[in-house]
């Protein structure tokens, strides 16, 4: 098995930015799992399916024309062969992604694809349940967070289109694979750290264990 670096944490914790930089540093592929949940959400909305109508989502799920690939050293999601980009950060996707991500069948479909990436190569994978569910046996688990104050400031900088606090609440309280720090994950509080410091700290820790 190739190394799998699990980076979890709430929204606005800075984990995407650092995960990508750590992947570059190590020469591993960066996998953004949030994009996968966002893609399923976008597709359901495109089909006029109400994300809260679980039966309708489950009926459509087997024929979702999404595929999960790579563009250089990072993961991408394709719909009918075309990469999805701006679609994934639309307001309506922000508003409904936590509802779609709470459906166990959606999660198991995507978790299987996430594990497929690591069958091919080493990965730095970022999400909410990577250390708890996707790679429970990896020795490389990091839970990246920041104080309420710092996260609020980062939220403000991201604009008002994403109700991050509401997503975190839903993601933390769902029954299946909630956002949580794995018992054996290293907690990295980035409140008073620069991006460089976080990347150095995690990369050093990984290299000590490799
Ligand atoms: O990482 P990002 O903020 O783009 O994730 C969007 C949403 O996807 C999260 O709020 C969560 O509902 C869902 N998600 C998840 N499990 C993951 C990654 C993302 O449930 N591993």
């Amino acid at each position: 098995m190739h190394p799998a670096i699990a980076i979890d944490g709430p929204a606005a914790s800075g984990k995407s930015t650092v995960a990508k930089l750590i992947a570059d540093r190590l020469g591993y592929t960066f996998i953004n799992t949030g994009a996968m949940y966002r893609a399923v959400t976008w597709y359901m909305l495109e089909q006029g399916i109400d994300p809260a109508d679980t039966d309708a989502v489950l009926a459509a799920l087997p024929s979702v024309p999404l595929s999960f690939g790579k563009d250089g050293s990072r993961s991408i999601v394709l719909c009918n062969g075309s990469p999805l980009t701006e679609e994934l950060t639309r307001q309506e996707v922000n508003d409904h992604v936590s509802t779609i991500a709470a459906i166990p069948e959606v999660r198991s479909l995507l978790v299987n694809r996430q594990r497929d990436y690591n069958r091919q190569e080493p990965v730095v994978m970022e999400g909410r349940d990577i250390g708890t569910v996707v790679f429970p046996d990896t020795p490389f688990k990091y839970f990246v967070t920041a104080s309420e104050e710092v996260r609020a400031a980062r939220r403000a900088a991201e604009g008002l289109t994403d109700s991050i606090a509401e997503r975190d609440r839903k993601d933390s309280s769902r029954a299946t694979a909630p956002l949580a720090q794995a018992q054996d994950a290293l907690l990295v509080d980035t409140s008073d750290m620069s991006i460089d410091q976080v990347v150095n700290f995690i990369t050093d820790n990984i290299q000590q264990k490799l």
Side-chain angles (χ1 to χ4, degrees), residues 8 11 15-16 32-35 37-38 97-99 101-102 107 114 126-130 134 162 167-168 171 174 177:
D8 292 301
K15 67 187 189 314
S16 289
N32 172 356
T33 63
Y37 291 94
R38 288 172 174 275
V97 64
S98 293
T99 303
R107 302 202 69 82
Q114 290 157 14
E126 174 251 312
R128 305 292 189 288
D129 63 337
I130 312 306
V134 183
D162 191 0
R167 277 205 286 133
D168 283 344
D171 293 341
R174 68 181 173 225

Side-chain angles (χ1 to χ4, degrees), residues 116-130:
D116 284 346
Y117 278 108
N118 187 231
R119 286 195 186 92
Q120 318 295 321
E121 62 196 334
V123 296
V124 176
M125 192 171 288
E126 174 251 312
R128 305 292 189 288
D129 63 337
I130 312 306

Side-chain angles (χ1 to χ4, degrees), residues 78-93:
L78 305 103
C79 182
N80 289 315
S82 300
L84 296 174
T85 54
E86 141 307 301
E87 296 88 342
L88 301 182
T89 52
R90 287 182 191 166
Q91 170 80 53
E92 67 260 33
V93 173

Side-chain angles (χ1 to χ4, degrees), residues 12-63:
S13 60
K15 67 187 189 314
S16 289
T17 308
V18 299
K20 173 78 176 83
L21 292 168
I22 293 163
D24 289 347
R25 206 58 93 71
L26 296 168
Y28 293 3
T29 296
F30 167 60
I31 315 286
N32 172 356
T33 63
M36 301 168 81
Y37 291 94
R38 288 172 174 275
V40 174
T41 306
W42 169 80
Y43 178 78
M44 294 298 166
L45 292 169
E46 280 289 297
Q47 298 300 301
I49 294 168
D50 175 2
D53 183 346
T54 306
D55 289 342
V57 172
L58 291 179
L61 198 58
S63 53

